[in-house]
Amino acid sequence: HLIPDLKDLLEPLKEVTHRTPMTWSTTIQLDPRLYPYQVDGVKWAIAHRGGYIADEPGLGKTIQALQWLENSPYRRALVVAPASVVFNWKDEAIEWSKSWSPYVLGSASNIRKTLKNPHWVQDQNQRIIYCITWSQLANCGSVLSQFGFETLILDEAHRAKSMWAKRTIH
């Protein structure tokens, strides 16, 4: 079972997927700095339109996910990450996914304020990666579904515990 807020977030994504067919390019553009095993991982994720990238720490899973995003047809992505790396996602996005603008959402009040006035969005075609922590998701996940995410990246996905885990109940 997923934590309730994560389940709420996934429902609108299902609707977008079924309602709006996304066309994936047949041309893959990968950063030449990728290692061969990272190229294989990104190509696999592109071929499957997503999936799990699981490897040892420090081998570039974040970079692979960002290169997958770079080759995706999506414009709105949500990254849920541990607090210790949420700003790292922003930095890595700037380096590895040039067509995306990363934005760290911050506190629950900032998320609500941002919903009312998304000042950084210059046009609807701008590609934005919204970054949030796992604890922020637990506090305001249902509000986040209003952002219109088309895809979701879960860093340390094992943090999506069952409904009976202490993290979920708090």
Side-chain angles (χ1 to χ4, degrees):
H1 296 280
L2 298 173
I3 60 175
D5 288 325
L6 184 55
K7 187 176 178 185
D8 291 344
L9 269 177
L10 292 175
E11 285 305 313
L13 286 176
K14 282 187 201 174
E15 290 175 23
V16 169
T17 304
H18 296 317
R19 179 171 34 111
T20 311
M22 296 286 185
T23 304
W24 287 70
S25 174
T26 55
T27 306
I28 298 173
Q29 301 280 329
L30 297 178
D31 192 294
R33 298 173 291 169
L34 292 174
Y35 290 107
Y37 69 89
Q38 291 173 318
V39 169
D40 291 343
V42 176
K43 284 182 177 179
W44 178 89
I46 291 169
H48 291 87
R49 307 298 190 250
Y52 297 97
I53 299 175
D55 212 335
E56 297 291 324
L59 293 180
K61 295 179 294 294
T62 301
I63 293 167
Q64 290 178 65
L66 290 167
Q67 286 285 286
W68 173 80
L69 266 182
E70 190 70 11
N71 285 278
S72 78
Y74 304 123
R75 291 176 319 231
R76 299 289 180 268
L78 176 66
V79 171
V80 183
S84 61
V85 297
V86 77
F87 284 98
N88 183 62
W89 270 93
K90 180 181 178 182
D91 295 342
E92 294 286 6
I94 291 167
E95 169 127 6
W96 293 93
S97 53
K98 303 288 187 199
S99 70
W100 288 81
S101 301
Y103 187 80
V104 178
L105 287 170
S107 68
S109 64
N110 185 44
I111 290 169
R112 287 178 182 84
K113 207 182 319 177
T114 301
L115 266 175
K116 291 178 185 169
N117 183 23
H119 60 278
W120 71 92
V121 180
Q122 296 164 2
D123 65 60
Q124 286 301 101
N125 292 320
Q126 184 179 358
R127 300 173 95 189
I128 300 175
I129 301 171
Y130 301 93
C131 303
I132 192 166
T133 68
W134 281 98
S135 60
Q136 290 164 329
L137 175 68
N139 291 328
C140 55
S142 58
V143 174
L144 289 170
S145 64
Q146 297 173 42
F147 276 81
F149 303 117
E150 297 166 326
T151 192
L152 178 65
I153 296 174
L154 304 174
D155 189 346
E156 302 291 335
H158 63 275
R159 291 180 181 230
K161 303 292 184 182
S162 76
M163 292 171 41
W164 301 277
K166 285 183 182 179
R167 170 186 290 282
T168 308
I169 294 169
H170 64 329

